[in-house]
Amino acid sequence: MRRPAEGKLGGVCAGLAEYFDADVALVRAAWVVLSIWPGAIVLGVIAYVAAWVLMPRAETPPATTSRPRLVRSQTDRRIAGVCGGLADYFDVDPTIVRLTWVVLSIVAGAVVFGVIAYVVAWFIIPPAPVAALHASPSTT
């Protein structure tokens, strides 16, 4: 079922994420990565539109889950918090995530695609909620 209320474009990835019990940001990232594979951009768009048309719209709210969400880090960020958020989600050191991103971009000769992937992740992964500050009671 599509989840337009939770989705960005039509709820296709949100519906797939609920079905596979996965984080919606990871499903979106996988869709983008598989769509930008050489020569598959048009096929990725066609597949998304076909899924949008074929998947029925969900009318019920999604079940609540205690699963952690992938969000951009507000505290461990260098540019936009993408690598810090990935490190938090997978419970690894953020330096390892950053080095892996850079090495994979350079070794594969895809520095431009590495930068594009980072920018896409910046837009796909939602920011972490900002913690509300509460005034402490003053002692007089």
Side-chain angles (χ1 to χ4, degrees):
M1 306 276 279
R2 287 186 305 115
R3 296 249 170 232
E6 292 86 33
K8 298 278 184 185
L9 255 175
V12 172
C13 289
L16 290 172
E18 181 185 23
Y19 181 79
F20 290 112
D21 193 30
D23 190 275
V24 68
L26 291 177
V27 173
R28 288 181 184 128
W31 195 289
V32 169
V33 166
L34 293 173
S35 293
I36 62 172
W37 202 264
I41 292 174
V42 173
L43 294 176
V45 171
I46 291 170
Y48 193 89
V49 170
W52 192 342
V53 170
L54 295 175
M55 290 173 67
R57 181 186 183 113
E59 300 300 331
T60 60
T64 57
T65 180
S66 62
R67 178 177 19 90
R69 297 242 8 234
L70 174 60
V71 293
R72 293 191 323 257
S73 176
Q74 294 291 340
T75 57
D76 188 8
R77 58 190 300 157
R78 297 294 181 263
I79 297 175
V82 171
C83 291
L86 287 168
D88 288 343
Y89 185 79
F90 292 111
D91 196 28
V92 295
D93 186 351
T95 303
I96 299 297
V97 175
R98 290 183 182 102
L99 285 174
T100 302
W101 196 295
V102 169
V103 167
L104 287 176
S105 295
I106 292 172
V107 169
V111 175
V112 172
F113 289 117
V115 171
I116 291 170
Y118 191 89
V119 171
V120 168
W122 188 346
F123 290 108
I124 289 175
I125 301 172
V130 179
L133 298 176
H134 300 285
S136 64
S138 61
T139 55
T140 54

